[in-house]
Amino acid sequence: MSAETYLLYLAAVAVFFATPPDTSQLLIVSNAMKHGLRRSLWVIAGDLSANAVQMTAAAFGLAAVIASSAVAFGWIKWLGVAYLVWIGVRLMLSREGAGTRGAAASARPGRLFRMGFVTSMTNPFAVLFFAALFPQFIDPSAAVLPQLLILGLTYIIVDGATLILWGWAGDRVAARLARLSFVWINRMCGALMIGAAVLLGLKDITPQR
């Protein structure tokens, strides 16, 4: 891979992330507001792990299987929407006391990691995105696997840095709203989750047969 191709790929990824917050970003903001930035790193780890799985699926052609089945695509999409709505409703109905944000039972590392992983994995658009993006920057005359590794690692690093910035912003907002009842913070976080579900549900990308 030439330096020019790699820089062009970096520019494409940067443009992709220079957009209004999507499902993953809203999930991170919500958790950073509720649990703080440090705990939310587990959500980011789950999200990026799911991205790694999706990149592998795209690299080995599984994306074509999903793209060829409108039924499978739809089921994955709406399972993700339902999961986000479920999280949002639970937050809005939560009566957890104020205390320390990171001390809530819902802040267990395993639970946060699972939330980030499941939310990202049930977004079928991600696999299709990687399947469409990577071939544009791969030189078929050279070894493909090293190029895929470079493209994948670069995406994960940029994505991780972006999610940390969103988490930091959510943590700062929560700190400024510290005088609010914790119940209201839960409701705000729940509303963000439902908003993320709406964004995912409104995406109208139909797989082509």
Side-chain angles (χ1 to χ4, degrees), residues 51-151:
N51 284 165
V53 173
Q54 291 159 337
M55 289 176 195
T56 303
F60 284 93
L62 295 182
V65 176
I66 296 176
S68 66
S69 174
V71 174
F73 186 89
W75 271 107
I76 294 172
K77 170 184 172 179
W78 290 110
L79 281 173
V81 170
Y83 182 70
L84 289 173
V85 170
W86 177 70
I87 294 173
V89 171
R90 284 192 61 186
L91 282 172
M92 296 183 77
L93 297 178
S94 174
R95 296 292 177 182
E96 288 178 334
T100 303
R101 283 188 289 157
S106 56
R108 296 192 187 99
R111 185 172 184 176
L112 294 175
F113 180 91
R114 184 171 65 251
M115 181 186 299
F117 185 86
V118 172
T119 300
S120 186
M121 278 300 294
T122 53
N123 181 2
F125 304 100
V127 182
L128 299 179
F129 171 77
F130 293 130
L133 176 68
F134 287 169
Q136 313 303 320
F137 301 94
I138 290 178
D139 180 1
S141 64
V144 174
L145 183 57
Q147 295 181 79
L148 285 172
L149 287 174
I150 292 172
L151 296 177

